[in-house]
Amino acid sequence: MAASLIHTLTADPPILVCSSLLLCSLAALLFTYARARRPARGSLPPSPWRLPLIGNLHQLMAVADEGLQALSKKYGPILLMHLGSFPVCVISSGELARKITNTHDAVFSDRASTKASRILFSGENDLLFAPENKFWRLSRKLCVSALLSPTNVQALFYVRDEEVAKLVKLIRANGSVKAIDLSDLLLKLASSIVSRAVLGQTKVSGSAEDDNEVKGKLAIKVAHMISDLFSFEDFIPALSWVDHLTGLNRRLKKTAQEVHAFLDQVIDEHERNQSADDGPDKNDRKCFVNIMLEFQRKGMIGLDNLTRSDIRAIVLDMVLAGVGTTAAALEWTMAELAKNPSIMQKVQEEVRRVVGGKSKIQESDISQMKYLKCVIKEELRIHGPTIVGRKSTSSITIGGFKLPAGVSTWINLWVIHRDPAAWDRPFEFIPERFLDARYNYKGQDHVYFPFGLGRRICPGMEFAMAEVEYGVANLLCWFDWELPDGMRAEELDMRGSTSEPSYKIIPLRLVPVPVSKPASCS
């Protein structure tokens, strides 16, 4: 090769000129090809290679959040994937996320529905999946101003208090002999609180079981129906017939019929109670169904035309949004504390110092537990929702790329909440970061928004935080927690499921050690 190079350099001028021209032409051709391959401003975002029919689904089958992180590193903060037949734009930048949920919030006001949601919510009148129509705006206003208002969240403290007290009593009965399945208990706690707040305490089940337990099971069943089912129709409409062969369509319709029938019984019972008492519960303990029926009875503008289907849809929205996410937050908070004993000890000392010698935790005590709040914020950063979904109503240019109308957009919170440019040691559980003024976010900043942003922000944020804070405070106040069978903290399995919300793959089992005098630990 060296001899050939020397020959070229010492050859006659015509040969040298021709060689130079050839090299220049080749370089120009490569440059032109590279420019052609680079996405032009206003074009579609870059896309990873995809397989026929399934598109990029295979890249999300294992661990979706880590898969999306790898793709974002390769293709940048905005990329276009194809999940079966449907294009999905993935946003992994806090700055771009804020443009979607704030600057261009009106364009990205819709959400993509699923087969399960379409069957469960007959029609488009619901809060979670419906487009931004008249009913959506009305029901959201109802939630923000009445059902989930700060006043009503505070009024529902008795529900949290009673259900958490039942859990504490149940755990005390276990003693400190064996480990308990805390994941299961916390899921039941979340479902019982939400079902009581939404449905009240009417006796309509006709079952030998406790009525609240029946409603709690219903809440869990509905949550699983939406989050755990894979439908071919949702990704490859040409294969929707497979859902019929697998029996998915039949199971979904049967579940929806059972849920609707049960909710009709609940609403009928509340209507009878209102007629008998000339108004809702005399003790002023109003559940969400009470409030909606009262507004309807009084002819509140817009609400006087609520149909039975509308009320069912709002009730189901509350159940779906409240059970799974809250149960996951409770579970992951306790798992992280078990994984980090020094942090658990620190937050326990705060909780027990605030409670002092009282026999129960008052709601006003929670506001003094600053470090507890930091622990829960950090849990939401690491284990909170991984994807915030939106759907565009018209074509728009974001980050220099043109997105077509109707494209689904995934805001990748998993990456944004772990951005090393925004967070020190982003993969570590460090609640103290929220004591720093730099990280004193309130859910509205572009680097931390576990409850979403813009007009689709979760209206139940205050309700959920009150439930998680009170539940964790009681678990830490009245019990010490040990890992079972001599397990070390670093051996605790922290893998999460691929569902949304994500639960621990291996349920959290801990040994509760009752504490009779928490004040002694201050």
Side-chain angles (χ1 to χ4, degrees):
M1 182 175 290
S4 176
L5 179 60
I6 293 172
H7 174 75
T8 301
L9 294 175
T10 58
D12 293 336
I15 298 177
L16 184 61
V17 170
C18 290
S19 300
S20 300
L21 288 175
L22 181 62
L23 290 172
C24 290
S25 299
L26 182 60
L29 183 63
L30 291 173
F31 179 75
T32 303
Y33 177 76
R35 284 184 60 86
R37 293 282 293 173
R38 183 187 307 165
R41 184 174 181 85
S43 67
L44 292 174
S47 297
W49 69 275
R50 61 184 187 269
L51 294 173
L53 195 62
I54 68 171
N56 301 109
L57 277 174
H58 64 289
Q59 293 167 302
L60 300 180
M61 286 301 183
V63 183
D65 43 27
E66 294 180 6
L68 291 177
Q69 183 193 36
L71 290 173
S72 68
K73 287 182 178 179
K74 183 175 181 179
Y75 294 95
I78 178 171
L79 63 97
L80 188 67
M81 302 183 69
H82 291 79
L83 304 185
S85 305
F86 297 97
V88 175
C89 181
V90 181
I91 303 294
S92 301
S93 157
E95 180 182 354
L96 294 178
R98 191 163 185 83
K99 288 183 178 179
I100 287 174
T101 58
N102 190 325
T103 309
H104 303 293
D105 189 26
V107 175
F108 293 93
S109 59
D110 287 356
R111 289 189 64 183
S113 63
T114 65
K115 168 175 277 191
S117 69
R118 290 189 293 273
I119 291 177
L120 190 60
F121 298 99
S122 50
E124 293 187 334
N125 282 354
D126 80 289
L127 189 61
L128 294 179
F129 300 97
E132 189 185 354
N133 53 25
K134 181 179 179 181
F135 177 83
W136 183 89
R137 289 189 290 271
L138 179 65
S139 58
R140 181 172 179 83
K141 182 179 179 180
L142 171 65
C143 290
V144 172
S145 61
L147 303 182
L148 296 167
S149 67
T151 300
N152 201 41
V153 170
Q154 185 176 7
L156 288 168
F157 171 71
Y158 77 94
V159 174
R160 298 188 290 275
D161 181 39
E162 292 174 5
E163 293 302 323
V164 170
K166 291 178 186 177
L167 175 63
V168 169
K169 182 179 180 180
L170 180 63
I171 296 175
R172 283 191 183 279
N174 177 80
S176 55
V177 178
K178 59 181 180 179
I180 60 174
D181 186 343
L182 200 54
S183 296
D184 180 64
L185 291 177
L186 293 176
L187 177 59
K188 291 178 179 177
L189 173 67
S191 64
S192 61
I193 291 176
V194 171
S195 62
R196 279 191 62 185
V198 175
L199 304 175
Q201 284 190 296
T202 53
K203 187 68 177 178
V204 297
S205 65
S207 169
E209 295 180 280
D210 178 80
D211 199 51
N212 288 327
E213 185 175 348
V214 173
K215 292 173 183 174
K217 288 181 178 179
L218 170 79
I220 295 173
K221 187 174 185 178
V222 171
H224 286 329
M225 177 182 176
I226 291 292
S227 64
D228 292 349
L229 296 176
F230 176 86
S231 166
F232 280 92
E233 184 179 317
D234 289 337
F235 298 100
I236 310 171
L239 297 180
S240 60
W241 53 271
V242 178
D243 293 338
H244 178 72
L245 290 182
T246 61
L248 177 64
N249 292 347
R250 182 180 66 258
R251 293 195 304 273
L252 286 175
K253 290 177 181 178
K254 181 180 178 182
T255 300
Q257 289 172 355
E258 292 175 353
V259 170
H260 292 171
F262 183 84
L263 293 180
D264 282 339
Q265 291 183 60
V266 173
I267 296 170
D268 287 341
E269 183 67 17
H270 280 293
E271 287 180 336
R272 285 193 292 270
N273 290 342
Q274 282 194 351
S275 299
D277 299 337
D278 193 28
D281 298 337
K282 292 180 178 180
N283 61 6
D284 204 32
R285 291 189 167 189
K286 303 175 185 177
C287 67
F288 292 177
V289 173
N290 282 145
I291 295 173
M292 285 187 284
L293 291 177
E294 183 179 7
F295 284 175
Q296 185 185 54
R297 185 173 62 88
K298 291 182 177 179
M300 302 290 286
I301 297 177
L303 298 176
D304 51 340
N305 293 322
L306 279 178
T307 66
R308 174 61 62 89
S309 178
D310 294 337
I311 295 176
R312 280 202 312 256
I314 296 175
V315 166
L316 286 172
D317 283 328
M318 298 299 102
V319 171
L320 283 173
V323 175
T325 53
T326 305
L330 288 163
E331 177 189 50
W332 282 115
T333 300
M334 293 303 296
E336 284 290 357
L337 292 176
K339 185 81 172 178
N340 299 272
S342 61
I343 296 176
M344 179 183 286
Q345 182 180 359
K346 183 175 179 179
V347 69
Q348 278 181 319
E349 289 174 352
E350 177 190 66
V351 170
R352 293 169 182 177
R353 182 183 66 251
V354 171
V355 175
K358 295 194 290 285
S359 60
K360 63 180 296 183
I361 300 177
Q362 304 295 331
E363 188 176 30
S364 57
D365 294 332
I366 302 296
S367 62
Q368 303 177 52
M369 300 176 185
K370 306 297 183 184
Y371 191 64
L372 171 68
K373 293 178 180 291
C374 292
V375 167
I376 295 172
K377 285 182 180 179
E378 181 71 340
E379 178 279 322
L380 290 173
R381 183 185 71 85
I382 294 181
H383 300 289
T386 57
I387 298 293
V388 171
R390 295 288 186 272
K391 189 176 181 181
S392 62
T393 56
S394 61
S395 61
I396 190 170
T397 299
I398 296 290
F401 298 103
K402 187 174 182 179
L403 305 184
V407 68
S408 292
T409 303
W410 286 3
I411 298 175
N412 190 355
L413 286 185
W414 196 92
V415 170
I416 294 172
H417 285 176
R418 290 166 175 78
D419 184 359
W423 306 93
D424 297 331
R425 296 149 63 191
F427 287 89
E428 298 182 34
F429 187 78
I430 309 174
E432 286 79 5
R433 72 173 82 248
F434 287 98
L435 294 174
D436 189 324
R438 294 178 301 164
Y439 297 115
N440 191 24
Y441 306 119
K442 297 181 179 179
Q444 301 294 321
D445 197 275
H446 67 279
V447 297
Y448 181 74
F449 44 99
F451 291 94
L453 285 171
R455 67 187 66 194
R456 287 276 182 174
I457 192 172
C458 176
M461 175 170 54
E462 190 164 343
F463 183 93
M465 290 300 291
E467 183 178 348
V468 175
E469 289 170 355
Y470 192 71
V472 172
N474 274 271
L475 292 176
L476 297 178
C477 184
W478 311 118
F479 303 96
D480 288 327
W481 296 92
E482 299 176 355
L483 291 168
D485 304 325
M487 180 189 295
R488 294 176 307 199
E490 56 270 21
E491 296 174 341
L492 185 62
D493 193 315
M494 298 293 282
R495 290 175 299 164
S497 66
T498 57
S499 62
E500 189 70 45
S502 174
Y503 300 99
K504 284 181 86 280
I505 291 179
I506 298 179
L508 180 63
R509 296 185 63 82
L510 297 176
V511 179
V513 181
V515 176
S516 57
K517 297 181 179 180
S520 63
C521 299
S522 61

